[in-house]
Amino acid sequence: MILNVADLSFRYNSHPVLQDVGCTASPGEIVAILGPNGAGKTTLLRCLNAMLRPRTGTIMLGEQDILSLSRREIAQSMAYVPQHIEPPKVTAFDAILLGRRPWIGWDMRRDDVLKVQSIIDQLGLANLAMRHVDAMSGGELQKVAIARALVQEPRVLLLDEPTSSLDLKNQHGIMQFIRSIVRIHRLTALMTMHDLNLALHYADKFVLVKEGRVFGAGGEEIITPEMIEEVYGIPVTIERLCGRHVVVPRSEQTDELQGDLIPSRQVTSM
Amino acid sequence: MHLDISTTTEPLVYTGYLRRKALVLVGSLVFLVVLSFISIGVGSVMLPVEDVWQTLLYHTSGNAEMIIWNIRLPRVLSAIVCGAGLAAAGVVMQSVLRNPLSSPYTLGVSQAAAFGAAFAITSLGAGTLGRMLTDAIVVNNPWLVTVCAFIASLGATVVILLVAKYRTTSPEVMILVGVALAALFTAGTTFLQYFSSAEQIAAIVFWTFGDIGRATWNDLVIIVLVVVPCILYFLLRRWDYNALDSGDEIAKSLGIHVERVRTIAMFLSSLIAAVVVSFLGIIGFIGLVSPHMVRRVIGDDQRYLFPVSCVVGGIILLAADTVARIIIAPAVLPVGVLTAFLGAPLFLYLLIRGNRS
């Protein structure tokens, strides 16, 4: 189901954070929301599932106006994974089961438990299931949080900086993990990201945000050195390396090296 | 997205894990029932368990009948209901404030309620102060006392909610807020004492210790009418409290009205504290001790933590009261003294260890 955002504006008190933001996301697609710190990326994500109530604008999921739905109805179609997860002292199974909350009345049913088991099987988390989440590493915690979001059976998956606290291996592990579930379940995924190269590698579409406005939206073609410089205020070169595009910040030193990148630059990130 | 569960097999490890937690609940309930029978028989007049059994079932006549039905039974039931209520208030406050040190007593809500009740008794004529220490206060108008206690405890609760909302407070800072509130309301109670006669002062002092012996059947009815619906409501909301334990953001994204849940939980907790304090005086630390004991055994899952904490709260208060009845027999020690001996060291331990290790 296509998510269509138009003319979205939001302000904290009198301070405008988002102004006339619009974007589109389709099923099976990862949309990366990019931009410098304080651009309003996280605010945008929180507006999408009405955790923050936008002042103006529409958010249409297919034919449905998200802003007209109740909290619970929104939770039944949109799942959210925050950047900072405060792990409670429960097992991973319990933590994932919490994702069934929007569907639970008085108490969980057998189906709810089976759905948790099914997602644990699908994601290969069986060895984590009975461990306590407060004793888990960042990568494990992130997987549990994503499993919790998926067991909500959402149509839209919103992730805030899913890789920010992870090491290189876990960054790619989590992104591959997200990409495969988005493809298999035809989810519409939107995530804020800092790492441009990670975004270039895994996302299908990009939304560039600066000072609460959308500077550009579209496929890989919009990630140009001019656009990055305008949004992030830093000159960059985009190189092709090992079959993928890599954004390299340009200092005087790298200017000299242009076209002759040393291998260690591959992992340069913003 | 739809999860296909046609080929999923039952997670036996998990269901077994839940069954063990359910067993803890059943076990604690059985223990509570057994303790109740023992407790009914214990006091300045000792009654064997068979007599207790006979009297409860067949209404025999004589001394045992009188002691059990008029004195012991309302006392035991009050201890259970109030202990459960205080534990419920504690565990819910700990969850919605995300602060393991919360309880009606440590946040000053009980002290506020005591002030409100004392105000109703001394200034609004809702009660007369007894001449003897053993019947410290005779409450003529229990509803008025409860309402005044509730209004005062609401005052404390509003302050706590405002602090929690406008500042990202660490648990320790919140406890300091509680200290300030407790000091304020205790000073208020002292102010009321200052204008009372010598007997009245003694009576109020005795009353602020907390004692279960003064609950009558009529009081018990009011206590049950307030505490039991609150506990049922909390039980209904256990999934929401679980979600809040994972943080406000996750709770909101799961469709929960976080602010509403938090406000209602705090108001109902202070209502429980108010009604308990109105009839029994201040009984400290039950709301802190029982959830922490239970957390140790079955973890933080509210689905089990909440009901087991309630039962354990009932057990602790009943056990403390039973000991209080025999420790300096024939006199009776105020139970608040005993719970403070039990709770204060644990509170210190939690502070030193640092919360949520």
Side-chain angles (χ1 to χ4, degrees), chain B residues 145-162:
Chain B
V145 175
T146 309
V147 167
C148 285
F150 182 47
I151 290 170
S153 65
L154 269 189
T157 305
V158 168
V159 172
I160 291 163
L161 281 173
L162 286 178

Side-chain angles (χ1 to χ4, degrees), chain A residues 196-208:
Chain A
L196 286 174
N197 292 326
L198 211 56
L200 274 171
H201 192 184
Y202 291 101
D204 305 290
K205 275 193 191 161
F206 306 87
V207 177
L208 285 154

